[in-house]
Amino acid sequence: MPTIAVDAMGGDLAPDEVVKGVAEVSLTTDIECLVVGDERRIQAVLEGVSYNPEHIAILHCADAIGMAEEPREAVRTRPDASLLVAVRAAADGRADAVVSAGNTGACILACAKHFRLLRGIRRAALASVYPRRTEYPGQDRLALLIDVGATVRCEADELMQFALMGHAYARRISKVANPRVGLLNMGSEPMKGGEILVEARRRLQELPQLNFVGNVEGNELVGGRADVIVCEGLLGNVALKLIEGVSEIFHDLASHAGEHKLAWRLGLRLLSQEIERLRELTDYTQYGGAPILGFERLLLKCHGRSNARAIANAVKVGAKAVRDRVPAEIADALSTFR
Amino acid sequence: MSRLGRRRGGGRPTPPLVCRWDLDKTYLRSEFETIRQLLRTAFERGEDKVDVPGVVELIKVIREAAERRGQPCRTLFVSASPPQIGKAIRAKLDLDGVPYDGIVFKNQLQHLRPGKLRNLREHVGFKLVALLGGRLEEPPEARELLFGDDWESDSLIYSLYADVIARRVEGARLESILRGLSVDPELVREVLSLAARAGGADAVERVFINLERRTPPAMFRLFGERVVPTFNYFQTACCLAGAGRLEPADVVRVGQALTRSAGYTPRRLENSLGDLVRRGHLALRDAHTLLKPLRKAGLIPGPLRASGWRRVLDAVEQLRARRRRVVGPPQATVVDYEAILERLHATTPAEASGGPA
């Protein structure tokens, strides 16, 4: 069984929700969790919930990087912070992957500092799944957006590597045999988007191992045209936050609309089942974390507000990625590209 | 003060060691959450019954370790199951080669009369009567280890029993507690009568609760240090070694039984040991003492992991030194039964005593 190092002190609700998530995993799976953080606080949370100690080891460290800290400085000056200790544990082979809900920038920098990039990879990418409309039966209801913030600006080469990494990840984790890959752009025409995107599109089209569907526009992000959508980090992050924001606005509207008019309340009651389905669909806690791809080891970055369920799902996704040899799959995909 | 590895001895005859075991969920992996399972359990033959991993070896090593010290050891079972399943239970114990000195069953038929039906599910009175009655058959200086689980109210019953025979709970207070627990008035009278005769010795060293339902360990804090909730019998064995009741070689035997027949890996055993240290039921130096033979037997990960384990231990050691906390024999526990009763009335009896409804 794979060992997943879990940064117990990362995230807005750490360590309570993180440790509860680990406890949940220990009861329902054989995944081994190496929980990294303040031992006393971790143990205090554990003893208050059901858990199976046979699948939990604790690696004590007193320091932790805050969510609002400047990542570069924190990673440089805080070697004993839980995130860095967890990443080092994976780099040393004590764990196979890492899960953290902590500071995103620090997660990426910690990986860059301690993990080796896969051969041929220029930049790592942070990928994120999000719910979308499906177009055909059997299509995964989640699409993968890569990159969502690890590499702010990209060259065409890097976008091609992201496409191959996302393709390999989707094949292994979403079990889509031949995922459709799209390039996020401001128009569907080949000449749109500037020099880098034009070149990236041309070269992606030429890759025989990819099922490339061309440019994907913003309104198609939530459709089923592509299973993997490639973009540079800045654009991906904005797009992802926009999707999350729209979803939150919808929930707010739905929950407050009923307060104003009886007719609206009745309407909401009639639509309650569909609203609940939508809520479930957009509930990030069930999707696990966003993987940082491109390194020999995997780190799954969870939402900062992750609760126990989100952490548990991220640990399960991490274990699945290790079992399915996702980094090796990515390395294989890139070797054909070279 | 650590007692691991020290042999008891001397000129005086050693007082006997009495080990009292619950049967279902402590010795046997009985399943009776549904009527179907209950019926199947009732009609199972000895060879169909399944023991909890490690329990057979643990019972054997406790007895052998006591006998090595020249201390007679008695293994007794107290079960709330009806005597009708006794034949299958005895067959199972024989099959496992478990040496035992007696089994007490609950005669359910005597409760099948008007006004007594609720006694079918009420075990506090029955078990206290059985335990106190059993105590009268032992010499007053006999020491006791009690083993139960988190399904019924074992932690409460065993703690009450320990305090009754130590005369920490007696007379009107005992009666009030029993009434608070809704024990049948007939059984209350019987318990009070037995308590008056059986009391006089602080004989119960430890109460081990097998966390079969994975009840959060914090639920047992009200019962004090004497009650040790353990997640598997390897943890129980380690704890007994820390208390000087077992040798490291005995712990190795229990660990081997778990790896041989229950699929335990060295990592799982290592994690179990770490958990026990963190929960304060095993002193760090005792864990160190156990590590060498366990590693030699291949029960704890080898040199590659050892460095990691060493780091964990060092970290734990530093932490413990900071807290100036030393694990030793349990202090004379003062259990606040009134607080437990209060919790009981807020929840259900089993939840209040660390178990479920």
Side-chain angles (χ1 to χ4, degrees):
Chain A
M1 265 294 149
T3 300
I4 309 297
V6 181
D7 169 16
M9 313 310 286
D12 296 336
L13 307 176
D16 292 38
E17 289 297 314
V18 180
V19 175
K20 285 176 188 170
V22 167
E24 188 185 317
V25 170
S26 76
L27 290 172
T28 53
T29 74
D30 282 338
I31 300 167
E32 162 97 11
C33 289
L34 178 66
V35 189
V36 184
D38 185 329
E39 188 210 52
R40 193 180 51 81
R41 293 178 67 189
I42 294 168
Q43 189 64 26
V45 179
L46 269 183
E47 287 186 37
V49 298
S50 293
Y51 71 103
N52 182 352
E54 292 162 11
H55 302 308
I56 299 174
I58 298 178
L59 189 55
H60 173 73
C61 60
D63 200 7
I65 295 174
M67 297 297 278
E69 281 189 60
E70 202 286 303
R72 200 167 296 277
E73 182 66 8
V75 169
R76 194 177 64 79
T77 58
R78 313 269 291 276
D80 294 326
S82 57
L83 170 66
L84 285 145
V85 174
V87 170
R88 276 205 304 276
D92 294 346
R94 181 138 189 240
D96 301 298
V98 181
V99 166
S100 176
N103 185 314
T104 306
C107 284
I108 294 163
L109 291 173
C111 289
K113 186 173 182 180
H114 294 292
F115 291 167
R116 272 194 304 213
L117 278 170
L118 289 167
R119 197 161 161 251
I121 290 278
R122 291 162 56 118
R123 295 287 185 89
L126 181 62
S128 180
V129 290
Y130 65 92
R132 50 84 184 265
R133 200 175 58 238
T134 53
E135 278 191 359
Y136 58 88
Q139 189 177 26
D140 193 340
R141 65 193 179 112
L142 301 175
L144 187 78
L145 187 63
I146 179 171
D147 171 43
V148 293
T151 304
V152 178
R153 295 284 181 197
C154 300
E155 298 297 321
D157 255 0
E158 287 151 5
L159 289 171
M160 294 191 63
Q161 291 187 343
F162 292 174
L164 288 164
M165 290 197 287
H167 181 263
Y169 187 82
R171 265 165 51 102
R172 286 292 182 179
I173 299 299
S174 306
K175 304 288 182 203
V176 185
N178 194 14
R180 298 196 285 194
V181 179
L183 181 66
L184 187 60
N185 206 334
M186 55 188 281
S188 59
E189 299 84 352
M191 303 314 291
K192 284 278 177 74
E195 201 179 313
I196 291 172
L197 289 179
V198 169
E199 191 197 343
R201 186 191 190 284
R202 182 184 60 75
R203 290 174 63 189
L204 282 168
Q205 192 107 51
E206 289 168 2
L207 279 181
Q209 65 266 50
L210 283 190
N211 182 9
F212 184 61
V213 296
N215 287 347
V216 169
E217 291 186 77
N219 61 333
E220 292 173 311
L221 270 175
V222 289
R225 189 162 159 241
D227 303 302
V228 176
I229 291 141
V230 178
C231 58
E232 62 179 16
L234 179 73
L235 184 57
N237 194 280
V238 171
L240 187 70
K241 295 282 163 65
L242 185 65
I243 294 169
E244 283 179 8
V246 169
S247 163
E248 278 171 21
I249 287 171
F250 179 81
H251 290 310
D252 282 355
L253 283 175
S255 53
H256 292 114
E259 292 170 9
H260 300 292
K261 280 189 182 177
L262 179 65
W264 289 1
R265 203 178 307 157
L266 286 171
L268 284 172
R269 182 60 62 89
L270 289 170
L271 285 169
S272 62
Q273 271 193 336
E274 288 307 308
I275 290 171
E276 182 56 24
R277 273 183 60 194
L278 188 69
R279 197 192 60 76
E280 279 175 19
L281 188 69
T282 54
D283 179 8
Y284 67 87
T285 64
Q286 60 179 312
Y287 303 137
I292 298 177
L293 300 175
F295 294 106
E296 285 183 349
R297 302 271 178 191
L298 213 58
L299 185 146
L300 281 123
K301 169 67 186 71
C302 302
H303 202 292
R305 294 194 304 271
S306 285
N307 60 13
R309 184 185 184 213
I311 298 292
N313 283 329
V315 171
K316 288 175 195 168
V317 169
K320 187 167 185 256
V322 170
R323 270 196 305 265
D324 291 349
R325 302 177 62 251
V326 166
E329 175 90 352
I330 291 171
D332 286 350
L334 286 160
S335 65
T336 59
F337 169 63
R338 283 196 301 272
Chain B
M1 180 82 182
S2 173
R3 287 179 284 177
L4 199 151
R6 291 191 184 180
R7 287 175 186 278
R8 294 175 178 200
R12 286 190 306 165
T14 322
L17 175 67
V18 179
C19 298
R20 301 188 194 274
W21 291 80
D22 178 48
L23 258 178
D24 294 310
K25 308 283 188 187
T26 304
Y27 183 89
L28 294 173
R29 292 178 92 167
S30 318
E31 288 180 353
F32 34 64
E33 286 80 74
T34 63
I35 297 285
R36 192 184 180 146
Q37 288 172 337
L38 188 67
L39 286 171
R40 196 177 56 207
T41 302
F43 291 106
E44 261 177 354
R45 291 173 302 177
E47 57 266 39
D48 299 328
K49 293 198 177 291
V50 181
D51 46 278
V52 177
V55 69
V56 171
E57 206 59 31
L58 181 63
I59 292 176
K60 288 178 185 172
V61 295
I62 291 172
R63 198 175 181 103
E64 287 171 22
E67 284 166 359
R68 280 199 304 270
R69 291 191 300 267
Q71 183 177 30
C73 179
R74 285 165 55 73
T75 307
L76 301 155
F77 290 95
V78 179
S79 171
S81 296
Q84 287 75 13
I85 67 160
K87 190 179 168 193
I89 298 292
R90 287 185 188 94
K92 170 66 181 163
L93 291 168
D94 290 343
L95 211 59
D96 291 340
V98 168
Y100 66 99
D101 304 278
I103 312 178
V104 178
F105 291 104
K106 184 176 181 180
N107 188 357
Q108 307 279 22
L109 288 178
Q110 75 178 31
H111 302 298
L112 289 175
R113 56 195 164 102
K116 299 291 174 193
L117 281 173
R118 71 189 175 90
N119 286 354
L120 285 172
R121 286 183 62 84
E122 194 282 308
H123 303 317
V124 179
F126 155 72
K127 278 202 171 176
L128 272 176
V129 167
L131 291 166
L132 290 167
R135 180 70 196 173
L136 287 172
E137 292 169 14
E138 306 297 337
E141 67 276 14
R143 308 296 296 162
E144 296 207 17
L145 293 172
L146 309 177
F147 301 85
D149 58 72
D150 58 347
W151 272 84
E152 288 162 351
S153 307
D154 288 345
S155 47
L156 173 61
I157 297 165
Y158 284 159
S159 294
L160 202 48
Y161 166 67
D163 285 336
V164 165
I165 62 172
R167 290 207 194 286
R168 278 190 289 267
V169 175
E170 52 188 337
R173 186 172 176 226
L174 175 59
E175 186 174 354
S176 154
I177 292 168
L178 293 174
R179 294 208 186 283
L181 290 165
S182 305
V183 175
D184 182 78
E186 238 174 72
L187 288 171
V188 172
R189 279 192 292 278
E190 206 171 340
V191 169
L192 290 171
S193 154
L194 286 166
R197 288 184 286 147
D202 196 356
V204 175
E205 291 181 5
R206 276 199 169 84
V207 173
F208 291 98
I209 297 295
N210 176 36
L211 295 175
E212 209 270 345
R213 279 183 67 105
R214 304 288 185 231
T215 303
M219 295 282 282
F220 297 89
R221 283 204 193 116
L222 275 177
F223 296 97
E225 288 178 27
R226 185 175 50 205
V227 171
V228 183
T230 57
F231 287 91
N232 53 47
Y233 283 120
F234 175 72
Q235 285 195 332
T236 312
C238 290
C239 200
L240 283 167
R245 283 280 167 209
L246 293 181
E247 298 293 326
D250 302 318
V251 179
V252 167
R253 274 178 60 186
V254 175
Q256 283 168 335
L258 288 169
T259 53
R260 200 172 47 236
S261 60
Y264 272 69
T265 60
R267 186 70 75 83
R268 284 174 69 181
L269 294 179
E270 183 186 40
N271 289 344
S272 299
L273 189 58
D275 174 72
L276 204 59
V277 172
R278 288 193 301 270
R279 287 197 285 127
H281 294 302
L282 183 69
L284 193 60
R285 59 178 165 274
D286 290 341
H288 276 296
T289 310
L290 289 173
L291 268 180
K292 197 176 169 188
L294 287 169
R295 194 171 290 142
K296 196 174 169 192
L299 293 170
I300 292 285
L304 183 69
R305 293 287 178 196
S307 61
W309 171 244
R310 172 67 61 184
R311 283 203 302 271
V312 177
L313 281 180
D314 288 347
V316 174
E317 192 150 36
Q318 283 170 13
L319 197 78
R320 292 214 176 283
R322 276 208 306 273
R323 283 193 267 162
R324 297 174 188 279
R325 183 179 173 190
V326 179
V327 178
Q331 304 299 307
T333 312
V334 180
V335 180
D336 186 350
Y337 290 99
E338 284 70 23
I340 293 170
L341 278 177
E342 209 169 284
R343 193 169 83 178
L344 177 121
H345 291 133
T347 56
T348 63
E351 278 171 345
S353 64

